[in-house]
Amino acid sequence: MMNKNELFKHHQRRIVNMSISTSAFRSQGKPNTIKSTREILYTLDLNQFKKSLETESYINYLDIQTKYFLDKLTDTYEVKWGTIRKGLNLFFRDVFYSAFMFKELGLNDSHFAQLEVPLDSYTGLGILEDANKITPTKLKWTTIKELTPQKSKQIQDFAKIVAEQIYQLESTADLDLIYWKREQAA
């Protein structure tokens, strides 16, 4: 009989495999980048993730995890900061989207509001386009590989404004649902 902890780890593995996909990591590093990223995420202690949300230190936690993944993957796989940040943001968002994980970790909507939107060309361009409707910005999207912590923060700040003022969302993480392949959805 499988215990609750084993079942939890199976759910974590499933979410890792769905969020760190060939689509999400297309042209982002050398072969086996996805496999190695997944292997690290399989072992991630999600109780530390929850603790960071409860203490409202999530962004600090996310920064530490981003650096950890970069240290593990950059030399061998030539992975960039933006790729790692996107992958982590996809994974943590998908943890929230899982009813099982939401319940087991004891998460709530105020925790979800702390998450970042996963940035890529779809979300980056969409956020900046919508941000310009509210307040003119000279910030331009380049590529996920060229994304820096500073530029990411600027776009995340605009994402908060857009999420609140245009879409009335409590979390910027949901903007990914709006922008991802938006032109194909019409």
Side-chain angles (χ1 to χ4, degrees):
M1 181 174 200
M2 184 176 297
N3 68 38
K4 199 89 156 180
N5 188 46
E6 291 171 323
L7 184 59
F8 185 92
K9 291 310 276 182
H10 282 290
H11 275 271
Q12 182 171 344
R13 181 175 287 275
R14 178 183 175 277
I15 293 168
V16 166
N17 290 337
M18 288 177 19
S19 57
I20 308 302
S21 65
T22 53
S23 173
F25 272 42
R26 181 176 294 117
S27 303
Q28 300 296 314
K30 291 184 175 181
N32 291 321
T33 298
I34 293 171
K35 180 179 182 246
S36 296
T37 304
R38 286 175 174 172
E39 287 172 357
I40 299 169
L41 276 172
Y42 294 150
T43 64
L44 195 68
D45 180 358
L46 290 178
N47 288 310
Q48 293 299 315
F49 164 65
K50 179 190 176 194
K51 183 178 178 183
S52 76
L53 294 166
E54 291 173 338
T55 60
E56 297 187 11
S57 60
Y58 172 71
I59 295 300
N60 185 50
Y61 170 81
L62 183 59
D63 289 340
I64 290 167
Q65 293 305 317
T66 304
K67 182 179 181 334
Y68 176 76
F69 276 73
L70 282 172
D71 289 347
K72 292 283 191 184
L73 299 170
T74 301
D75 290 343
T76 305
Y77 300 105
E78 298 178 3
V79 180
K80 303 294 185 190
W81 186 93
T83 303
I84 294 300
R85 193 61 158 229
K86 176 185 176 183
L88 288 168
N89 283 327
L90 287 168
F91 172 70
F92 291 133
R93 183 211 53 202
D94 289 351
V95 166
F96 269 90
Y97 286 175
S98 164
F100 176 86
M101 298 297 263
F102 191 88
K103 179 183 173 197
E104 288 302 309
L105 287 168
L107 301 173
N108 63 54
D109 291 341
S110 70
H111 294 147
F112 188 58
Q114 296 178 55
L115 300 187
E116 289 184 343
V117 60
L119 292 176
D120 59 18
S121 61
Y122 296 111
T123 55
L125 289 169
I127 289 164
L128 294 175
E129 179 183 319
D130 281 344
N132 274 308
K133 295 173 186 173
I134 300 167
T135 181
T137 175
K138 293 182 180 180
L139 191 61
K140 301 284 185 219
W141 177 260
T142 53
T143 67
I144 192 73
K145 288 181 179 180
E146 294 176 12
L147 190 64
T148 64
Q150 297 77 19
K151 189 165 189 175
S152 176
K153 180 165 180 357
Q154 291 175 311
I155 296 171
Q156 294 292 343
D157 288 345
F158 280 120
K160 286 179 187 170
I161 295 167
V162 167
E164 291 170 3
Q165 293 185 22
I166 293 180
Y167 298 105
Q168 291 77 48
L169 297 171
E170 292 183 26
S171 176
T172 62
D174 281 334
L175 288 172
D176 189 38
L177 300 172
I178 294 167
Y179 295 127
W180 192 73
K181 295 192 178 185
R182 177 170 40 178
E183 72 280 354
Q184 292 177 1

